[in-house]
Amino acid sequence: MTFKTAGDRQNPAVMLIHGMISSGADCEPFGRCLADDYYVIMPTLDGHGDDGTDLLPLDGEVEKLVGYLKENGIRSLAMVQGSSMGAEIALAVAARLEEENIPLTCGFFDGGPFFHFNPVFRAFMHRKFRSLVKVFDTDDHEAAFNGLMNNPFLRFVAKDKAAQYEPLIRSVTRKRRHFSEKTVKNLVDICYKCDLPTFSPDAQKRMVFFFSDEEPARKSRKRLLRAYPSAEYRDIHGYAHCGFQTAQPEQYAEMLRLAIQKR
C-alpha cells in the first residue's frame, strides 16, 4: 500500500479510497480541489499499484489504512470517502475509527455494492473479474483502453454512459498492470461478501450513501436502509456508477466539502 497526499498537514484530514482496478492517483482530480482546506490522503490499495503487493482481505486493508493515520499522528478525520469497492472499505474504516475513539466528522460512500451474495454468485464474479483484469497485462495501452471500454461488465455497469469513464480508463490503462489471483479473490469478497458493521444512531447521522439512480449497486440501498435508518441517502441522475466524480471533479469536491460542513 502506498500513499499520496495533498494540502497542508495542519488542516483537517480527509482520506479518499479508490475503487477496484483503480489507484490513489484516480482520486486526484477531485482530491486536489479539496487541498486548499484539507490535508488530503489518497492511498493506493494493496494489489493495485506497482509495489508488488496483493490485495488483502478487508480487515487487512483497514488495518493498514488506520495504521497509517496513527503512525502519522493524525488523530481525527474530517471525512473518509470511498468509491465502489472503496466505499465498502471506507465503511469498515469508519467502524474501526469508532471502535478506537478516533473522531470522524463524515463518512461518504459513493456507489458501494453493499451486497452479501452466496458463494455460487461470488464464484461467477471471480471468473468475470479474472477475465477483466487480463486487459491490463499488456504494453499496448490503446488495446487495454479499448478492451476495458468494451468489456461487457463495464457496459453492464455503465449502461449507455460508458463515455463518462474515458478519463478514468485512460488513467488506469496508461501502463501495464498485473492483478494477482489473490488480489482478484479478495476484491470479489470485499465487493460481494459485505457484512455491514454496527453503528450508533449518532454515528449513522454522520454517514452519506450516494448513488446514481440508474446504477446496479443502488439495489443494495434497501439493505443499507434497514441497517442504518438514521444515515443520509442521496441520488444523482444522469451519471453512471461513480460517474459524477469522474465527469465533474470540481463539483464533486464541492459536494464533499458541503457534506463535511453540514455536520
Side-chain angles (χ1 to χ4, degrees), residues 32 41-42 75 85 92 141 174 187-188 204 212 218 239 249 259 261:
R32 295 285 177 186
I41 304 164
M42 295 168 282
R75 297 181 176 84
M85 179 186 78
H141 310 314
R174 67 175 177 259
L187 71 83
V188 169
Q204 292 176 34
S212 163
R218 189 182 182 279
Y239 293 92
Q261 293 173 355

Side-chain angles (χ1 to χ4, degrees), residues 36-106:
D36 287 344
D37 302 311
Y38 298 99
Y39 182 58
V40 184
I41 304 164
M42 295 168 282
T44 292
L45 300 170
D46 289 318
H48 286 72
D50 54 8
D51 57 351
T53 58
D54 299 311
L55 183 69
L56 299 174
L58 178 64
D59 286 349
E61 294 297 302
V62 170
E63 187 68 32
K64 286 192 173 185
L65 293 166
V66 176
Y68 176 88
L69 300 178
K70 293 178 178 178
E71 290 162 13
N72 287 274
I74 298 169
R75 297 181 176 84
S76 65
L77 277 184
M79 172 176 280
V80 60
Q81 180 273 350
S83 305
S84 192
M85 179 186 78
E88 294 168 295
I89 296 173
L91 185 67
V93 168
R96 181 68 64 84
L97 296 177
E98 186 170 36
E99 288 173 6
E100 302 199 14
N101 295 314
I102 298 173
L104 171 66
T105 303
C106 181

Side-chain angles (χ1 to χ4, degrees), residues 113-175:
F114 294 98
F115 300 109
H116 194 297
F117 287 120
N118 62 47
V120 173
F121 181 84
R122 295 201 302 274
F124 170 76
M125 293 308 298
H126 182 270
R127 292 192 295 272
K128 288 287 186 184
F129 285 131
R130 188 167 53 188
S131 174
L132 183 150
V133 299
K134 290 178 181 177
V135 167
F136 296 93
D137 211 349
T138 177
D139 291 320
D140 187 338
H141 310 314
E142 196 64 26
F145 171 80
N146 290 329
L148 194 53
M149 284 294 293
N150 293 298
N151 181 270
F153 181 73
L154 184 136
R155 290 284 175 180
F156 167 73
V157 170
K159 302 186 186 300
D160 61 343
K161 298 178 176 64
Q164 292 177 3
Y165 291 124
E166 286 191 20
L168 174 63
I169 292 174
R170 286 287 180 195
S171 173
V172 301
T173 57
R174 67 175 177 259
K175 63 181 179 179

